[in-house]
Amino acid sequence: MTERIDVVELLKAQHTRIRELLDEVANTKGEDRKRHFHDLVRLLAVHETAEEEVVHPFARKNIEGGEQVVKDRIEEEEKAKRALDLLDEMDTDSPEFLERFTALRQDVLAHADNEEREEFAHFHEVADRGRLVALARAVQAAEALAPTRPHPGTDTAVKNLAVGPVAAVIDRTRDVVRKAMG
């Protein structure tokens, strides 16, 4: 029987992988950098969508000052989505890419730290393990259907439900085409 992971454990593990990918993009070149960057974009897109659909609504309702905490995280996420959208169109070996990526990297690292400290740290205080395990399953379900590219402006569950399914099909088609073309 597999161990049941709770939402905090799941999200922190994803943050660890995001940190690893940020380092891989920063420390590689050529096709390796391009591949790591596209892996990073995909992970950030599905991760943030799931947070917007599952995690943030839970935090708003259940943690003290949740509205403000979530508002601040969404502002950070939107800034990152805009930066990722721009970077996704750039040559990953250009000096401009690396300069913009370095700024994005700092923002993403700060955002992850803020989430862990100001949002996730309170979840064990307001919910039992069973509820947190159920939230992890909900996050995984949302990620399975999430768009794989950043879509600025889709910062709430309602907006994700309106735009997400169409964007997900387009993004996943684009992923298959990119992979087929090398």
Side-chain angles (χ1 to χ4, degrees):
M1 184 171 163
T2 60
E3 184 180 333
R4 299 179 325 155
I5 188 169
D6 78 28
V7 71
V8 175
E9 296 162 343
L10 174 66
L11 296 171
K12 284 185 170 184
Q14 289 179 349
H15 283 178
T16 297
R17 182 63 186 138
I18 288 165
R19 288 178 183 102
E20 291 168 355
L21 284 168
L22 287 164
D23 289 345
E24 289 168 2
V25 172
N27 296 317
T28 57
K29 293 181 181 173
E31 289 303 311
D32 286 339
R33 177 181 283 165
K34 185 183 289 187
R35 181 174 39 83
H36 293 311
F37 179 70
H38 288 295
D39 290 348
L40 174 67
V41 168
R42 187 179 198 291
L43 177 55
L44 285 172
V46 298
H47 175 83
E48 295 304 336
T49 297
E51 285 182 343
E52 290 159 1
E53 292 181 12
V54 178
V55 178
H56 295 331
F58 177 80
R60 271 190 194 98
K61 291 179 186 174
N62 294 286
I63 67 171
E64 188 174 330
E67 263 318 312
Q68 187 61 49
V69 169
V70 170
K71 181 179 180 281
D72 293 344
R73 298 304 69 79
I74 287 174
E75 286 174 10
E76 295 164 356
E77 290 165 6
E78 281 299 301
K79 181 179 178 186
K81 284 180 186 181
R82 288 189 302 273
L84 280 169
D85 201 32
L86 179 65
L87 285 166
D88 199 34
E89 301 301 320
M90 297 176 75
D91 174 2
T92 55
D93 282 328
S94 73
E96 184 182 3
F97 174 89
L98 198 52
E99 181 179 315
R100 288 179 185 262
F101 178 78
T102 299
L104 170 73
R105 183 174 185 259
Q106 291 172 345
D107 290 345
V108 169
L109 291 172
H111 171 71
D113 289 343
N114 291 339
E115 280 184 332
E116 290 177 13
R117 194 176 60 256
E118 298 175 22
E119 195 170 4
F120 309 161
H122 302 286
F123 287 6
H124 289 107
E125 299 165 9
V126 299
D128 65 17
R129 179 146 178 90
R131 177 75 171 126
L132 297 177
V133 168
L135 283 169
R137 286 193 306 266
V139 164
Q140 290 167 326
E143 288 175 343
L145 300 172
T148 61
R149 297 280 173 272
H151 294 278
T154 55
D155 56 358
T156 65
V158 172
K159 290 177 186 175
N160 276 316
L161 288 173
V163 175
V166 173
V169 170
I170 292 168
D171 290 349
R172 290 171 194 274
T173 302
R174 186 176 171 192
D175 292 345
V176 169
V177 171
R178 272 188 177 171
K179 185 174 182 178
M181 295 180 71

